[in-house]
Amino acid sequence: MLIGIVSFLVGAALTFVIKGRVNSRRAEEAEEEAEKIIRDARLRSENLLMEANVEAKDRLIKMKSEFDAETNETRMELKALDKRFNQKSEKLDRRQDQVEKLEKELAQREKQIDRDSEKLSESQVEYDGLISEQKRELEKISGMTSEEAKGLLLTAMENDARHDGAKLIKRITSEARESADKEAKKIIATAIQRYAGDFVAERTVSVVPLPNDEMKGRIIGREGRNIRALEAATGIDLIIDDTPEAVILSGFNPVRREVARLSLAKLISDGRIHPARIEEVVKTVEKEVDQTIKEAGDQAAFDLGVHGICNELIAILGRLKFRTSYAQNVLQHSVEVGFLCGVMAAELGLNVKLAKRMGLLHDIGKAVDHEVEGPHATIGANLAKKFGENPKIVQGIAAHHEDVAPESVYDLLVQAADSLSGARPGARKELLENYVKRLDDLEKIANSYKGVANSYAIQAGRELRVIVEGDVVRDEDAVVMSLDIAKQIEESLTFPGQIRVTVIRETRAVGYANK
């Protein structure tokens, strides 16, 4: 037992001694590790401090060099500015000297001018006195006052100028005819021969035939409700009078008139005529007419080989199918003008496509001239410009009736083709009253001129022959008179095609033999 206790105590003592030694060794190692860490930290801090010092020095050196460079550059600029300032200062000094010199010269010239002005005034007074004295002497010698002599001289000069001008006009006209007449006839003849257009066979229909007079009552309806519904739906007035088996349609818009005609024809054939049915039929017919208009415009452009026209402009062009001018269908006329323009442009070596397009669109304003105020040429030009057409085409449309002055040969081609299309036999018709009145107006215009003996409108009013008195009108005056009469006709009359004015002057000697 004692031995066991002793053994336990010895073992515990040995264990305590061993643990103490181990703990002291660990403490030493920890202290060494801490010292090592401290040394490393000090070394790193010293290195960081050194790097910071080096970087700070580098930045300082860099900033100093940049500052020196900027300073040098600023110095150079200041030196340059100073040099320029000195140069400008020298120039200003020189200019100042020049200005002072010029001022002295101007002062001397002003003095000289004043002296010359005084001398001139004295000379003017002396000159006026001499002129007055000479006038008095001339008036005594001639027996006329100065105003009378001046008027006589001006009259003589005016007569001479008119005579010389008439001779010049006659010579220029003769030379132009000789050089251009042959070629113009060739081009026009070629264009006419190559176009084989139909004669006018259609007019705007304004009368709808009825199967019997009983249908008039059905169209009118109870208390007039059917006719009011039809007029409200179409915008066209229906005139039901004593004309047997017919209804007259009245309205300025040709498209609406066509819608009304077709609608009424459908209602008559269908037999059901009441307000609801009328509105249904009118809507259906409007769609059909719109489609017909579009197809007519496309067909006209296709026939001429003109492409790229705006759809809205094509639709407006198609409306010309229902528009007539002197009973000539305007769409057919436009196609014809486009063809003639193309042929003449080809003969002259010009742009054929541009000429055809200009001719096709030249009367586009007539499609809406009942809706828009102004000449149809101006309306058409505005439409073409609105839908992006070439400025040359816009100008050609505006100038085809000389509402504006022609600017190119294309404008003249459209004018010529328009006249050819309207002037060919059978192309246009007009009322007898208008025809007779136009012939009478032509002769009145010619007879209003001094020296006219007789005047005759011949060839259906396409030529006006004016016979003048030989002892009153000279050959040169006859040329001027023909131009004046033609100009007055253009300004005062409306007519299709072209009117030729021919002034005839002749001297007749009559003798009698008696036995």
Side-chain angles (χ1 to χ4, degrees):
M1 176 96 176
L2 182 59
I3 294 171
I5 294 170
V6 171
S7 298
F8 174 75
L9 292 172
V10 170
L14 288 172
T15 302
F16 177 77
V17 171
I18 291 170
K19 285 183 178 180
R21 287 180 179 178
V22 170
N23 289 333
S24 65
R25 189 179 299 114
R26 286 180 178 173
E28 290 176 357
E29 289 177 355
E31 288 179 359
E32 289 177 357
E33 185 67 26
E35 289 178 357
K36 185 178 178 181
I37 290 171
I38 291 170
R39 285 195 303 272
D40 291 341
R42 286 177 180 173
L43 182 61
R44 288 178 182 175
S45 63
E46 289 175 357
N47 290 336
L48 290 173
L49 184 60
M50 289 177 65
E51 289 177 357
N53 290 333
V54 170
E55 185 176 355
K57 288 180 180 179
D58 290 341
R59 288 185 179 180
L60 182 62
I61 292 170
K62 185 177 180 181
M63 291 173 63
K64 185 178 180 181
S65 62
E66 290 178 354
F67 176 76
D68 292 340
E70 292 177 358
T71 304
N72 291 332
E73 185 177 353
T74 304
R75 286 176 181 173
M76 295 295 290
E77 290 179 356
L78 289 173
K79 287 181 180 179
L81 290 172
D82 185 56
K83 184 176 180 181
R84 291 170 59 188
F85 176 77
N86 292 333
Q87 291 176 350
K88 288 185 177 180
S89 179
E90 292 176 358
K91 289 182 179 178
L92 287 174
D93 292 339
R94 289 196 295 270
R95 288 182 180 178
Q96 182 67 27
D97 294 338
Q98 292 176 356
V99 168
E100 292 177 355
K101 185 177 179 181
L102 288 173
E103 286 179 351
K104 292 179 180 179
E105 292 179 357
L106 287 173
Q108 293 176 357
R109 289 182 180 179
E110 286 178 357
K111 292 180 181 179
Q112 182 64 35
I113 289 171
D114 291 338
R115 290 193 294 269
D116 293 342
S117 179
E118 291 176 358
K119 291 181 180 179
L120 184 62
S121 299
E122 294 174 358
S123 300
Q124 183 67 35
V125 172
E126 184 178 356
Y127 173 75
D128 291 341
L130 291 173
I131 291 296
S132 299
E133 185 178 352
Q134 288 179 356
K135 282 184 179 179
R136 289 193 295 270
E137 291 295 328
L138 288 172
E139 289 175 359
K140 289 179 181 179
I141 296 172
S142 63
M144 292 188 299
T145 64
S146 59
E147 294 298 328
E148 292 174 348
K150 187 186 294 184
L152 183 62
L153 180 61
L154 289 175
T155 302
M157 291 177 65
E158 181 181 357
N159 292 334
D160 291 341
R162 287 180 62 85
H163 179 72
D164 293 341
K167 290 173 63 178
L168 181 62
I169 291 173
K170 184 178 179 181
R171 181 174 61 82
I172 293 174
T173 304
S174 300
E175 292 176 356
R177 282 203 185 102
E178 290 175 3
S179 60
D181 189 57
K182 183 178 180 180
E183 189 64 25
K185 285 181 179 178
K186 176 184 174 183
I187 293 172
I188 292 174
T190 302
I192 294 174
Q193 288 171 1
R194 290 180 59 182
Y195 184 78
D198 298 331
F199 289 91
V200 172
E202 60 177 341
R203 297 183 61 144
T204 301
V205 178
S206 299
V207 178
V208 177
L210 302 178
N212 50 62
D213 284 339
E214 181 184 352
M215 185 61 68
K216 289 185 179 181
R218 298 182 62 186
I219 292 172
I220 294 172
R222 183 179 299 174
E223 298 178 355
R225 64 176 186 171
N226 290 345
I227 191 171
R228 285 198 300 271
L230 189 57
E231 289 178 344
T234 61
I236 296 298
D237 295 330
L238 272 72
I239 302 173
I240 300 178
D241 53 14
D242 296 334
T243 306
E245 299 181 356
V247 174
I248 299 174
L249 304 178
S250 176
F252 291 105
N253 191 316
V255 177
R256 290 181 181 175
R257 191 164 56 244
E258 180 67 9
V259 170
R261 185 186 72 83
L262 294 176
S263 299
L264 189 57
K266 278 194 173 185
L267 290 169
I268 292 170
S269 62
D270 182 45
R272 293 178 295 165
I273 304 177
H274 53 82
R277 178 61 178 166
I278 288 171
E279 292 180 0
E280 179 184 349
V281 170
V282 168
K283 288 181 180 179
T284 303
V285 170
E286 283 178 347
K287 293 180 181 179
E288 293 175 357
V289 171
D290 288 342
Q291 184 62 28
T292 301
I293 287 172
K294 180 68 167 57
E295 292 175 355
D298 288 333
Q299 187 63 43
F302 177 78
D303 290 343
L304 282 177
V306 176
H307 306 291
I309 299 178
C310 178
N311 288 333
E312 289 85 349
L313 202 58
I314 283 287
I316 295 173
L317 179 65
R319 295 175 70 177
L320 294 177
K321 176 182 175 68
F322 304 106
R323 178 75 154 80
T324 59
S325 177
Y326 295 97
Q328 183 182 28
N329 183 274
V330 178
L331 183 58
Q332 180 185 352
H333 164 69
S334 298
V335 173
E336 186 172 325
V337 171
F339 184 87
L340 293 172
C341 283
V343 173
M344 290 189 287
E347 292 292 325
L348 295 172
L350 302 174
N351 188 330
V352 176
K353 290 185 178 180
L354 179 63
K356 284 185 175 182
R357 194 183 192 99
M358 197 178 294
L360 177 64
L361 299 177
H362 82 285
D363 266 347
I364 193 73
K366 286 186 177 180
V368 295
D369 62 353
H370 51 277
E371 301 171 358
V372 182
E373 293 185 359
H376 73 271
T378 304
I379 297 171
N382 292 334
L383 280 175
K385 185 177 181 181
K386 176 182 177 182
F387 292 111
E389 287 295 323
N390 189 315
K392 290 184 179 179
I393 294 175
V394 175
Q395 169 64 24
I397 294 172
H400 81 275
H401 282 312
E402 294 193 357
D403 293 295
V404 299
E407 293 182 356
S408 68
V409 66
Y410 292 99
D411 302 347
L412 301 177
L413 281 183
V414 175
Q415 290 182 6
D418 186 39
S419 298
L420 285 174
S421 175
R424 63 188 180 87
R428 295 186 173 183
K429 300 176 183 178
E430 56 183 327
L431 296 176
L432 179 61
E433 294 83 359
N434 295 337
Y435 170 73
V436 173
K437 185 176 183 304
R438 182 158 60 84
L439 296 184
D440 186 53
D441 291 339
L442 286 174
E443 294 180 355
K444 283 182 179 179
I445 290 174
N447 292 332
S448 66
Y449 284 80
K450 182 180 179 181
V452 175
N454 289 300
S455 61
Y456 304 97
I458 61 176
Q459 294 186 9
R462 301 198 180 278
E463 182 177 356
L464 178 63
R465 290 190 179 177
V466 183
I467 300 174
V468 298
E469 299 174 1
D471 55 345
V472 177
V473 181
R474 295 177 295 182
D475 288 340
E476 295 80 7
D477 296 333
V479 177
V480 177
M481 182 182 290
S482 66
L483 299 176
D484 291 342
I485 293 174
K487 185 176 180 181
Q488 187 173 349
I489 291 172
E490 290 177 356
E491 293 174 351
S492 57
L493 298 183
T494 301
F495 53 90
Q498 187 180 45
I499 296 176
R500 178 180 180 182
V501 179
T502 304
V503 177
I504 301 173
R505 175 184 180 272
E506 60 181 1
T507 302
R508 297 185 182 182
V510 181
Y512 297 93
N514 297 314
K515 285 189 178 180

